[in-house]
Every structure is written in structure tokens, then in C-alpha cells.
Amino acid sequence: MLATMETVEIVQKAEALAKLVMQSEIGENYFAHLYKLKNDQLAQQKIKKFVALKDLYEEVQRFGKYHPEYKRVNTDIREAKRDMDLHPTIADFKRAEMDLQTVLDEISMKIGRAVSPQIKVPTGNPFFDSGSGCSGGCGTGGSCGCS
């Protein structure tokens, strides 16, 4: 029963930490930019266009350069990606998202290292992964050396 109570206490403290992150300047900045992104119709159109092209791109990639639409689809998706990434609302959101992710990576590393220097904490950020034995990060679909 003691282990269960400890687990509950740890989870409660993790939830409190999450609330602190959400209420921080970086957390509030992230949510403000997320709200702007969701309410920017032009940004949403650019995202939808890119997602549709991405589906087509994946279909074309199955056949590679032998697909009749290979060149056109590759050009179209690169242009749509650039157009999407350069839209101010999307770019601002991505910066806010990266700032928040950096804080979460730092927290994960501090917790992992406090438990043991051998703990592998996949962050998906090569800056934090150096020396940890993880490359890429489990959550990114990369090849992760974590076990």
C-alpha cells in the first residue's frame, strides 16, 4: 500500500509541476500562439493544403521517380511547406512550441539525472541527448537507442 501512496503523491506533484509550466510565461506564450493559430483561417488553409499534399506525396513516394506525378508533387509539397512555414502565425507558433519543448526537455533531464546519471531521457533534442545513449528520440519516430 505504501508504494501506491508514493505513486499517487509523485503523480500529484507531476501534475502541480505541469500547472506551473502552463502558467509560466513560456507556457502562456505557447497557449496564446496556439489560440491565434487555431483562429487564423489563412493559416488553417495553408496547413490543410500541406496535409493534403503530404498524403499525395506519401502515395507518390511508394513508386518513387517512376510515378508520373513525382516531380510535380515533390515541387508542390516543398512550395506548400515553405509557404506554410513562412506564414507569421505558424512561424510564431512553432517558435513558442520549441521554447516550451526546450523547457520540458530541461525538466525531463533534471528529473532523470536526479534519479541516476544512467537514466536515459529521450528528448528528441540532440543538445540534450548528448551522452545519454539516445539518438533521435523515441517520440519523433527516429531511431532511438533507448532501452
Side-chain angles (χ1 to χ4, degrees), residues 43-80:
Q44 292 302 314
Q45 289 172 359
K46 290 176 185 286
I47 291 168
K48 285 179 185 171
K49 178 181 178 184
F50 176 75
V51 169
L53 281 171
K54 188 174 145 196
D55 292 341
L56 182 59
Y57 175 81
E58 289 171 3
E59 176 69 26
V60 167
Q61 288 304 310
R62 291 187 341 175
F63 299 100
K65 64 182 178 183
Y66 301 106
H67 192 283
E69 299 290 318
Y70 179 79
K71 282 186 178 182
R72 182 190 64 79
V73 170
N74 276 310
T75 302
D76 289 353
I77 195 158
R78 274 189 251 114
E79 289 173 357

Side-chain angles (χ1 to χ4, degrees), residues 5-117:
M5 292 306 290
E6 283 180 348
T7 303
V8 169
E9 186 177 345
I10 290 169
V11 170
Q12 288 174 339
K13 289 185 180 194
E15 289 170 350
L17 178 59
K19 284 182 184 177
L20 284 173
V21 170
M22 289 169 52
Q23 294 169 353
S24 71
E25 185 178 333
I26 290 175
E28 288 179 355
N29 186 46
Y30 168 80
F31 287 110
H33 282 92
L34 177 61
Y35 178 81
K36 287 179 187 174
L37 177 65
K38 287 185 175 186
N39 291 291
D40 183 332
Q41 294 304 313
L42 183 57
Q44 292 302 314
Q45 289 172 359
K46 290 176 185 286
I47 291 168
K48 285 179 185 171
K49 178 181 178 184
F50 176 75
V51 169
L53 281 171
K54 188 174 145 196
D55 292 341
L56 182 59
Y57 175 81
E58 289 171 3
E59 176 69 26
V60 167
Q61 288 304 310
R62 291 187 341 175
F63 299 100
K65 64 182 178 183
Y66 301 106
H67 192 283
E69 299 290 318
Y70 179 79
K71 282 186 178 182
R72 182 190 64 79
V73 170
N74 276 310
T75 302
D76 289 353
I77 195 158
R78 274 189 251 114
E79 289 173 357
K81 173 89 167 103
R82 186 172 191 276
D83 186 42
M84 181 182 70
D85 288 343
L86 291 177
H87 187 278
T89 304
I90 295 170
D92 290 345
F93 170 74
K94 285 187 173 201
R95 271 190 294 279
E97 184 179 45
M98 192 179 315
D99 291 346
L100 180 59
Q101 185 63 52
T102 299
V103 169
L104 295 173
D105 290 345
E106 288 175 16
I107 291 169
S108 296
M109 290 298 295
K110 286 184 184 291
I111 292 171
R113 295 298 176 251
V115 172
S116 169

